[in-house]
Amino acid sequence: MIERKDRERIIALIHQEVVPAIGCTEPMAVALCTARAAEQLGKRPDRIEVFLSANILKNAMGVGIPGTGMIGLPIAIALGALIGKSAYQLEVLRDITPSALEEGKQYILEKRIGIHLKENIQEKLFIEVRCSSANDSTTAIISGEHTHFVYVGKSAPVPASVFATSVEGENDEIKLNMRLVYDFATTAPLEEIRFILSTRDYNMRAAKEAIKGNYGHNLGKTIDRPLSKGIFGNSIFCHIIAKTASACDARMGGAMIPVMSNSGSGNQGICATNPVAVFAEENENTEEELIRALTLSHLTAIYIKQSLGRLSALCGCVVAGIGSSVGITMLMGGDYSHVCRSVKNMIANLTGMICDGAKPSCSLKIASGVSTAVLSALLSMEGKCVTSAEGIVDDCVDKSIHNLTSIGAEAMNMTDEMVLNIMTNKC
């Protein structure tokens, strides 16, 4: 068994990375930063200037804002200033009311908000919000993580050191590897990790609530309809995709439904949770098996994000799909060797799927990730695995993962720039 000290560090890491969020985490982080700047100002801002890294801008352009029926950053910024509470973190807009929404719409019509690309910034997750009223002005800056404030104060001058601030090395974050992830998930005392069931409670509830409305492209509901069942069958596979896509439909469509996120992404949290929870229920696994499989899934996603980074050109369904695949593999009765095979099968298939922002069609990508997760687990249980003679897969599972993340974090940077250029220059 892993030593208690290391178990405590891993548990602290999970608590840090697996947290509730309402709506897409990027616009919510912008709303959070705006709320903090407005709180520091102490009055309603007359003007708000927002400066964002390219990845934040990309992920916040086309997604629904919960409780508003609107898309994009302006309403998130307006409501962040008017009714947002920074103490709520990524649930910053949970106090929204119809009257507040109307006030936010009017604020936008008065052209009080400016949104800009932050130039010459290396950090991919960077948000700077300047609020001003008469002769007073304040600035809040988030960098590195969605809730990590590196500066709150008067607007000028902001210390130059702030722009080089990184969360790397600022905490005692334990460095993971696949063996450590697996050993923790399979040997940690059950009462120490029972909390992970809250991911099932949140994210399966989101899937259930999604059925009550028409969100996004209705992918989850479409897969659940009779015509689709005539094509896909009334199978565990079909149910896994439907329950995962439904939660994503609602979240990307702006439903006021909280989900449990993973590594700053609600979609990653959904994708790491719902496939495992659905399979466990329909396969009649025990509660302990579910707890350990969910722990394995979420911690695997956290491990991959340690080297990939918070935001990248690589779609998060690749990361969380690997998590759900190893979780399902465990529920199928697989051991560490099976888990490693599932990881390699996933990397051989989904590597290179681009992130072109948060939006309703994310549910389509999640469906692809989940489909591949189930397929990879099945192949693994049959003893099948993509070999090191094929593509970027290595004999070592950790090397395979780092091959994946080096592509996503480094090689795809030019892809990221092209995606943003396309998104911001449509006719």
Side-chain angles (χ1 to χ4, degrees):
M1 182 180 292
I2 299 168
E3 291 185 6
R4 183 178 182 85
K5 179 182 69 174
D6 287 336
R7 293 204 314 271
E8 289 174 349
R9 293 172 70 197
I10 293 172
I11 289 168
L13 179 60
I14 297 174
H15 279 302
Q16 173 186 309
E17 300 293 355
V18 180
V19 297
I22 294 177
C24 177
T25 47
E26 277 70 55
M28 288 306 103
V30 177
L32 170 63
C33 198
T34 305
R36 187 68 187 89
E39 289 166 355
Q40 183 74 9
L41 186 66
K43 64 184 86 170
R44 174 184 166 128
D46 292 329
R47 181 73 187 169
I48 303 172
E49 299 290 344
V50 179
F51 300 84
L52 305 172
S53 60
N55 288 77
I56 289 288
L57 189 61
K58 178 184 73 174
N59 276 4
M61 286 173 59
V63 69
I65 306 303
T68 69
M70 299 174 69
I71 288 173
L73 281 167
I75 191 63
I77 293 167
L79 291 173
L82 297 173
I83 57 96
K85 290 184 174 62
S86 64
Y88 292 166
Q89 298 284 285
L90 293 178
E91 296 180 281
V92 57
L93 300 184
R94 73 185 190 198
D95 288 343
I96 187 174
T97 62
S99 61
L101 176 58
E102 292 307 311
E103 189 178 357
K105 290 177 180 179
Q106 183 60 36
Y107 198 89
I108 294 169
L109 289 174
E110 292 169 359
K111 301 187 182 302
R112 297 180 181 274
I113 298 170
I115 301 171
H116 317 275
L117 178 66
K118 182 71 176 182
E119 302 289 352
N120 303 316
I121 191 77
Q122 296 300 311
E123 174 58 57
K124 292 187 176 183
L125 197 166
F126 183 90
I127 303 163
E128 179 180 352
V129 177
R130 304 173 190 171
C131 289
S132 59
S133 178
N135 295 323
D136 295 329
S137 61
T138 55
T139 294
I141 298 175
I142 286 174
S143 182
E145 295 180 357
H146 291 78
T147 60
H148 185 251
F149 283 94
V150 296
Y151 181 81
V152 179
K154 294 294 182 182
S155 284
V158 175
S161 60
V162 167
F163 300 102
T165 301
S166 171
V167 294
E168 295 295 328
E170 288 188 6
N171 53 39
D172 188 32
E173 183 178 284
I174 189 168
K175 294 303 177 185
L176 301 171
N177 56 64
M178 202 63 224
R179 182 82 237 189
L180 179 58
V181 167
Y182 179 83
D183 288 348
F184 175 83
T186 53
T187 66
L190 202 59
E191 291 311 310
E192 292 184 9
I193 57 174
R194 183 175 293 276
F195 68 88
I196 203 68
L197 287 175
S198 63
T199 64
R200 173 202 61 184
D201 298 339
Y202 269 83
N203 295 346
M204 289 297 287
R205 186 185 307 125
K208 184 177 180 180
E209 289 297 314
I211 302 302
K212 299 177 181 178
N214 289 311
Y215 298 106
H217 298 292
N218 277 330
L219 179 60
K221 291 177 76 170
T222 299
I223 294 170
D224 251 346
R225 285 173 177 154
L227 176 60
S228 298
K229 288 182 178 178
I231 297 170
F232 293 113
N234 190 18
S235 63
I236 297 177
F237 179 68
C238 180
H239 300 161
I240 285 173
I241 298 174
K243 293 295 190 293
T244 309
S246 288
C248 179
D249 283 333
R251 181 173 174 270
M252 294 290 95
M256 202 68 175
I257 301 171
V259 301
M260 196 66 82
S261 64
N262 182 298
S263 303
S265 168
N267 281 348
Q268 284 174 191
I270 290 167
C271 193
T273 302
N274 289 18
V276 178
V278 172
F279 186 90
E281 180 179 356
E282 301 207 17
N283 195 49
E284 299 182 351
N285 288 96
T286 66
E287 183 178 75
E288 176 175 352
E289 289 168 338
L290 172 60
I291 290 171
R292 297 197 181 281
L294 284 171
T295 301
L296 179 62
S297 178
H298 279 275
L299 195 55
T300 297
I302 292 168
Y303 164 41
I304 297 171
K305 293 293 283 188
Q306 281 187 331
S307 55
L308 180 62
R310 271 292 190 273
L311 299 176
S312 75
L314 189 69
C315 179
C317 81
V318 179
V319 175
I322 293 173
S324 62
S325 186
V326 299
I328 291 170
T329 301
M330 176 184 280
L331 292 173
M332 289 177 172
D335 59 16
Y336 181 66
S337 64
H338 293 100
V339 162
C340 291
R341 288 200 290 264
S342 292
V343 172
K344 294 176 185 180
N345 291 339
M346 288 291 293
I347 291 172
N349 192 333
L350 282 185
T351 297
M353 182 181 285
I354 64 167
C355 170
D356 55 343
K359 58 209 174 305
S361 62
C362 284
S363 61
L364 294 166
K365 294 188 177 184
I366 277 188
S368 296
V370 172
S371 300
T372 305
V374 177
L375 176 62
S376 296
L378 282 170
L379 281 173
S380 173
M381 294 305 293
E382 288 290 320
K384 304 296 183 183
C385 178
V386 176
T387 69
S388 60
E390 305 171 69
I392 65 168
V393 171
D394 194 274
D395 288 329
C396 171
V397 67
D398 294 297
K399 179 62 175 171
S400 296
I401 287 171
H402 286 289
N403 290 345
L404 166 73
T405 59
S406 65
I407 289 172
E410 300 167 28
M412 292 178 72
N413 281 337
M414 189 172 292
T415 300
D416 223 10
E417 293 174 11
M418 180 59 72
V419 167
L420 182 64
N421 183 57
I422 292 170
M423 291 175 65
T424 54
N425 288 284
K426 294 179 182 178
C427 297

